[in-house]
Amino acid sequence: MASIFTKIVSGEIPSYKIAEDEKYYAFLDINPLAEGHTLVVPKREVDYLFDLEDRELAEMMTFAKRVAVGIREAIPCNRIGVAVIGLDVPHAHIHLVPINEGGDLDFGKPKLTLSSEEFRTIQEKIQGKIR
Ligand code: AMP
């Protein structure tokens, strides 16, 4: 059965898309740790990030870098934190999270609840900064 992220990539499940290219797709996390929390996924369904071929992993990181630069320009923060967890969704993904201190990357923290209008505003802000 297709993973939830494969369904997002195909458009079967809606997402707040940030960017895509032929092989990778970035969209806002629906339960964000911070405004601008974005997931980057390969379109090819692979369970875990480090199951990817070396070349794919390198390409995905380069794509994630382009997205992270855009997030950092759009959302005031010190850094874009990078995390790989993958315990909930068995489709490789990288979390990109705007952070100001190390504790901001604590996935045990309560998540933000944002309205669809707030998600759309964040989406547009970041999209406008992606090159
Ligand atoms: P993990 O597999 O532990 O890295 O967590 C999966 C992440 O995917 C969580 O942060 C979820 O909030 C996020 N997520 C799950 N379903 C969706 C969805 N439909 N749209 C956006 N983000 C999602």
Side-chain angles (χ1 to χ4, degrees):
M1 202 180 84
S3 78
I4 187 164
F5 291 167
T6 292
K7 290 180 179 172
I8 283 177
V9 167
S10 72
E12 191 181 329
I13 292 178
S15 68
Y16 298 97
K17 181 172 105 173
I18 295 298
E20 75 176 313
D21 69 9
E22 197 189 322
K23 291 163 84 174
Y24 306 98
Y25 189 92
F27 56 103
L28 294 179
D29 192 304
I30 207 73
N31 299 301
L33 271 178
E35 291 191 8
H37 181 168
T38 297
L39 300 175
V40 175
V41 306
K43 292 184 175 178
R44 185 168 90 84
E45 192 173 320
V46 172
D47 183 342
Y48 179 55
L49 190 75
F50 297 125
D51 292 336
L52 288 167
E53 301 295 331
D54 291 354
R55 179 192 287 269
E56 275 184 300
L57 181 60
E59 287 171 353
M60 184 165 158
M61 282 309 263
T62 303
F63 177 79
K65 174 181 170 182
R66 187 156 72 85
V67 174
V69 167
I71 299 171
R72 195 162 181 212
E73 282 185 25
I75 309 285
C77 62
N78 277 345
R79 289 281 191 265
I80 302 301
V82 179
V84 176
I85 304 176
L87 293 173
D88 285 336
V89 179
H91 181 141
H93 55 282
I94 297 171
H95 294 259
L96 300 176
V97 187
I99 58 170
N100 292 304
E101 52 187 88
D104 293 344
L105 209 51
D106 174 2
F107 279 75
K109 277 195 339 182
K111 307 298 189 297
L112 301 182
T113 303
L114 302 176
S115 66
S116 50
E117 197 181 334
E118 288 171 315
F119 273 116
R120 270 198 298 275
T121 302
I122 295 164
Q123 176 190 27
E124 282 166 18
K125 256 197 235 173
I126 300 172
Q127 278 179 337
K129 299 293 185 185
I130 303 279
R131 293 190 197 93

